[in-house]
Amino acid sequence: MKILICENYEHLSEVASNIIEDKITANPKCVLGLATGGTPEGTYQRLIDKYKQGSLDFSSVTTFNLDEYYGLNGRHPQSYAKYMYDKLFKHINIDINNTNIPQGDVDDIKKECKRYEEAILEAGGIDLQLLGIGTNGHIGFNEPNAYLKTKTHLVKLKEETINANSRFFEKKEDVPTRAITMGIKSIFRAKEILLLASGPEKAPIIMELLKGQLSTYVPASILNLHPSVTIVVDKAFIEYLKKQNVELSAI
Ligand code: F6R
């Protein structure tokens, strides 16, 4: 596991976009796993800038998003499909037919989860998976629990996730209580993983993850078993460690 420490959020976004750029340049037909939420917004903006400057071509790239709110149609303003379209896809030359997001408003949820899982496999698997992390350690929407599901599935969101994501909705009651998410194995099958965590509120869970202990109550801790993980944090993490009197090398 490699950890990169950046000055601030802007720097973190630059570093993350450079890693993604390198991946696309090395393999223009690569399959990217994408995340939503606040953290990757800066990264997506940098990727748009690179595309506009002519240094990036998305025409042969395929993407799979981690998750979608259950019950939301892809045109709903708070759906992750709309987020991806507004924050990245509409600004670049990606073929929209090569972008994949679980469909949140289906009748047959089991069928949709199976379809999504198979689509990832059919595309040859994910080359680089971008991840954020919940303050409770979730990746995708794999919430802390006594067990973790391996494949794409319907999940009940934890109260802390609903609270955290209520900032994107008019009121907390509008946040869907369930989501479709890739499972731990779907994420884990990615050849390379890039996890971004910015700000003081993410520092405690990053410290927990770096301890190298596995727990289903810290779903991200499973990443300790993956052969190729890069974690990009900003200075807030180092400041947190200082306050705890902990050296990074001692975790
Ligand atoms: C989003 C996702 C989540 C977020 C996490 C952090 O697709 O799967 O795991 O990455 O909740 O969200 P932010 O970046 O808003 O703090």
Side-chain angles (χ1 to χ4, degrees):
M1 199 175 271
K2 191 157 81 181
I3 177 149
L4 304 177
I5 295 149
C6 297
E7 274 307 309
N8 48 35
Y9 178 68
E10 286 67 36
H11 186 207
L12 171 146
S13 303
E14 189 58 37
V15 167
S17 69
N18 288 344
I19 294 172
I20 297 171
E21 178 181 20
D22 289 349
K23 185 58 53 189
I24 298 173
T25 307
N27 176 12
K29 291 186 175 172
C30 68
V31 179
L32 299 177
L34 299 179
T36 54
T39 313
E41 284 190 26
T43 305
Y44 294 151
Q45 189 51 55
R46 295 301 183 291
L47 290 175
I48 295 167
D49 296 343
K50 286 171 191 290
Y51 165 70
K52 289 194 172 153
Q53 286 153 11
S55 63
L56 258 184
D57 176 12
F58 290 88
S59 59
S60 302
V61 170
T62 297
T63 64
F64 284 90
N65 264 80
L66 284 164
D67 36 30
E68 178 61 283
Y69 287 117
Y70 179 60
L72 295 198
N73 179 281
R75 285 181 299 279
H76 188 284
Q78 266 75 41
S79 72
Y80 285 160
K82 183 83 169 70
Y83 168 108
M84 287 311 302
Y85 186 70
D86 287 346
K87 304 218 183 282
L88 184 64
F89 298 155
K90 77 172 175 189
H91 305 282
I92 58 174
N93 68 335
I94 198 159
D95 179 347
I96 210 73
N97 295 316
N98 292 341
T99 67
N100 299 274
I101 302 178
Q103 214 184 313
D105 60 344
V106 286
D107 292 331
D108 190 339
I109 192 74
K110 278 202 172 144
K111 194 170 155 201
E112 172 58 8
C113 292
K114 192 166 177 283
R115 180 198 71 78
Y116 202 68
E117 200 66 29
E118 284 170 2
I120 300 173
L121 292 180
E122 269 163 34
I126 291 167
D127 293 302
L128 175 67
Q129 176 68 57
L130 181 64
L131 293 179
I133 185 168
T135 52
N136 66 3
H138 72 216
I139 48 174
F141 276 134
N142 293 277
E143 299 280 35
N145 218 325
Y147 56 86
L148 296 172
K149 290 200 175 170
T150 54
K151 295 182 183 169
T152 302
H153 61 283
L154 184 67
V155 65
K156 192 172 175 315
L157 299 174
K158 294 274 181 189
E159 192 63 22
E160 58 268 23
T161 302
I162 292 172
N163 285 336
N165 289 1
S166 64
R167 72 192 195 278
F168 298 112
F169 291 79
E170 223 168 81
K171 48 187 193 309
K172 187 181 156 187
E173 293 69 45
D174 294 341
V175 185
T177 55
R178 291 186 290 176
I180 302 172
T181 182
M182 280 190 201
I184 288 293
K185 189 173 171 189
S186 341
I187 295 172
F188 211 78
R189 269 197 304 242
K191 294 184 188 78
E192 222 178 303
I193 290 177
L194 175 61
L195 185 146
L196 311 181
S198 169
E201 65 283 356
K202 298 289 171 73
I205 197 68
I206 293 295
M207 181 167 150
E208 204 53 42
L209 161 62
L210 291 179
K211 281 182 186 163
Q213 299 167 168
L214 302 182
S215 167
T216 58
Y217 288 97
V218 183
S221 67
I222 193 89
L223 298 178
N224 282 293
L225 296 176
H226 194 282
S228 183
V229 178
T230 303
I231 300 179
V232 191
V233 295
D234 54 21
K235 277 273 171 65
F237 176 60
I238 299 299
E239 280 153 24
Y240 173 78
L241 291 187
K242 265 191 209 145
K243 274 192 204 143
Q244 307 293 312
N245 276 323
V246 177
E247 295 278 334
L248 182 55
S249 56
I251 299 176

